[in-house]
Amino acid sequence: MKLMVVGGGGREHAIIKKLKENPEVEVIYALPGNGGIAADAVCVPVAATDIDGIVDFAVSEKIDYAVVAPDDPLCLGAVDRLNEAGIECFGPTAKAAEIEGSKVFAKGLMKKYGIPTASYEVFGSAGEALAFLETAPLPAVIKADGLALGKGVTIAGTREEAFAAVRTVMEDRVFGKSGDRIVIEEYLEGPEVSVLAFTDGECIKPMVSSMDHKRAFDGDRGPNTGGMGTVAPNPFYTEEIAQRCMREIFLPTVAAMKAEGRTFRGCLYFGLMITSDGPKVIEYNCRFGDPETQVVLPLLESDLLTVMLATSRGTLAETEVRFSDRSACCVIMASEGYPVKYKKGFPVTIPDDLLPKVYIAGTAPAPDGGIMTSGGRVLGVTAVGDSLAEAVRNAYEGVGRISFENAYYRHDIGRRALAAKVD
Ligand code: AMP
Ligand code: GLY
């Protein structure tokens, strides 16, 4: 089979490596891929947001199956357009992807169908939002409605910060149209858990749970990033919580999307907070998480392509989705200064024996034939172990053997999970 994967980060590298385990796969094209992905796929210089370019390529190369991984092309209707052109795809339609593309839509869905989430208000003008914040409880959580590269959420501890967040989004319009409306919601407390799940629109099969580390610096300090590391499974996600999530969140969400005429097929990502009041949804994503994928897929024992085809074809109920009971840890090596400002263009050296464990993100081909840094998150090193402690130790051992100028990583990925005492 000829496959195509849209996207070019560490998540896409993990998907490509897993897909390649299936002997039926002859070739994988990555649009656009990156310098490191080029070792495992044919990189084609078509941007992940160039929907016409993606469809033209898929049709001219007679692609058998396409995987659309990032949020932007999904929300722009890449799957709809590929399907219209006769290309079978993994991923939701634009109407279903709105579960991530619009927080106002997602919150409305949860309210209508009684899915537990933080209470909230929606505002279409800065004036009304500022007036509400004069007396709203603190901290206040302010979210731009649309996609904002993971930067659209502010947790404001003071009124001044809350007012500033509203002005940045609605008056300075730093996220453009994504800031036409905002959601202001109740602040929730508790450990966070990411659960990715395969769904064909009827049946939903959750993957092993994971824990992201979103803040830039050790001790969960500093600005929010795309994610500096992950571990799986997440010790806060007990069997009892998992059963509640299935009953109160996962099945109701899939049924709600179907009832709204937005049947969701693909990977649905639940960002959950385990509050004293039970699990609640913080956010939905319409795709695999990055870097959650880099710890979840290495633990998948079933064939990824078979499972993906089952989600597209509506046969997930009959398809086995089995995970190993081992643990995994991924440590992201970034460029110093990420997510704010950083230098790039430095050569990256990875020992050959480590390559199977490394998922490469922000890199470009270097003039000497190697690769060089070209982005904030450069790569992730994943290790699998019989225990979480072993996985964490091995991931850091790998990090210690990779070098590039200006490299930065957190030293405490997995620490909170290792310290967790869960009843
Ligand atoms: P997001 O960009 O939606 O992933 O949100 C970024 C982070 O903000 C989440 O991972 C949470 O840590 C935090 N967050 C979002 N919503 C809430 C909330 N209602 N209460 C507390 N923290 C939140
Ligand atoms: N790691 C969080 C996300 O992919 O949105």
Side-chain angles (χ1 to χ4, degrees):
M1 282 178 88
K2 286 170 111 175
L3 308 189
M4 171 176 107
V5 173
V6 176
R11 163 185 58 199
E12 286 76 9
H13 199 187
I15 291 171
I16 287 167
K17 282 192 177 180
K18 199 74 192 171
L19 287 170
K20 279 181 70 176
E21 291 177 11
N22 183 316
E24 308 263 304
V25 174
E26 296 153 50
V27 58
I28 305 183
Y29 295 97
L31 281 64
N34 66 51
I37 286 179
D40 289 292
V42 180
C43 294
V44 182
V46 172
T49 47
D50 175 4
I51 309 300
D52 289 335
I54 291 168
V55 175
D56 287 349
F57 179 82
V59 170
S60 67
E61 285 299 324
K62 300 195 173 57
I63 294 295
D64 296 305
Y65 193 64
V67 177
V68 182
D71 45 4
D72 288 315
L74 290 167
C75 291
L76 287 169
V79 167
D80 310 63
R81 291 277 312 282
L82 285 162
N83 283 340
E84 281 161 23
I87 310 284
E88 199 177 13
C89 290
F90 180 83
T93 59
K95 263 175 94 177
E98 219 177 325
I99 199 165
E100 172 170 3
S102 168
K103 295 203 192 287
V104 173
F105 168 72
K107 295 298 285 191
L109 186 86
M110 289 187 270
K111 189 178 207 173
K112 181 168 172 188
Y113 292 90
I115 297 166
T117 188
S119 59
Y120 73 104
E121 301 281 339
V122 176
F123 298 93
S125 80
E128 289 167 59
L130 293 169
F132 173 82
L133 284 168
E134 292 281 356
T135 54
L138 294 173
V141 182
I142 297 145
K143 302 185 168 184
D145 175 40
L147 297 179
L149 296 168
K151 294 180 188 149
V153 176
T154 303
I155 315 260
T158 65
R159 295 212 187 271
E160 288 63 41
E161 279 178 72
F163 297 151
V166 170
R167 293 200 175 101
T168 313
V169 174
M170 301 197 92
E171 288 174 358
D172 307 341
R173 302 187 62 76
V174 292
F175 306 120
K177 271 186 71 63
S178 288
D180 282 353
R181 292 184 292 177
I182 56 169
V183 169
I184 300 183
E185 68 177 31
E186 171 199 8
Y187 177 74
L188 298 177
E189 278 178 283
E192 282 186 60
V193 179
S194 305
V195 178
L196 321 185
F198 292 107
T199 174
D200 62 5
E202 298 271 349
C203 166
I204 181 159
K205 296 201 172 175
M207 303 181 217
V208 61
S209 62
S210 56
M211 183 192 288
D212 193 5
H213 298 67
K214 285 206 168 89
R215 301 292 202 95
F217 309 140
D218 286 1
D220 292 323
R221 288 173 304 112
N224 256 322
T225 70
M228 293 300 294
T230 33
V231 294
N234 185 322
F236 294 101
Y237 192 70
T238 59
E239 187 48 42
E240 187 210 331
I241 297 284
Q243 282 177 17
R244 269 189 84 169
C245 286
M246 183 53 100
R247 221 171 34 240
E248 297 171 15
I249 296 175
F250 304 162
L251 289 169
T253 300
V254 168
M257 290 297 278
K258 188 176 174 201
E260 293 293 309
R262 297 170 185 264
T263 300
F264 191 104
R265 295 188 189 87
C267 174
L268 186 50
Y269 169 132
F270 300 86
L272 305 168
M273 189 83 93
I274 314 301
T275 73
S276 52
D277 219 13
K280 296 192 179 181
V281 177
I282 303 180
E283 60 161 348
Y284 291 115
N285 291 327
C286 63
R287 51 172 176 85
F288 282 97
D290 187 341
E292 284 88 345
T293 307
Q294 291 91 312
V295 284
V296 168
L297 289 188
L299 296 174
L300 177 65
E301 291 180 337
S302 309
D303 174 57
L304 178 60
L305 180 58
T306 307
V307 176
M308 285 183 156
L309 286 166
T311 70
S312 317
R313 295 175 182 174
T315 54
L316 190 60
E318 304 98 81
T319 306
E320 187 185 41
V321 181
R322 194 181 66 244
F323 283 86
S324 143
D325 58 9
R326 302 180 81 203
S327 298
C329 171
C330 173
V331 178
I332 297 294
M333 297 184 77
S335 301
E336 173 91 55
Y338 168 75
V340 184
K341 203 172 145 202
Y342 48 85
K343 294 192 190 131
K344 43 197 186 184
F346 302 112
V348 182
T349 340
I350 305 167
D352 282 351
D353 65 299
L354 272 185
L355 281 172
K357 292 172 146 187
V358 178
Y359 300 117
I360 303 182
T363 57
D368 68 356
I371 56 172
M372 60 185 191
T373 60
S374 69
R377 289 191 293 180
V378 175
L379 55 85
V381 182
T382 294
V384 172
D386 289 335
S387 66
L388 182 58
E390 185 188 323
V392 171
R393 204 167 44 241
N394 290 346
Y396 276 105
E397 191 263 338
V399 166
R401 295 174 53 216
I402 293 176
S403 66
F404 56 90
E405 211 171 304
N406 222 31
Y408 170 78
Y409 58 90
R410 272 181 62 164
H411 297 81
D412 62 346
I413 303 301
R415 193 170 294 167
R416 182 144 190 242
L418 285 168
K421 297 248 183 323
V422 183
D423 302 325

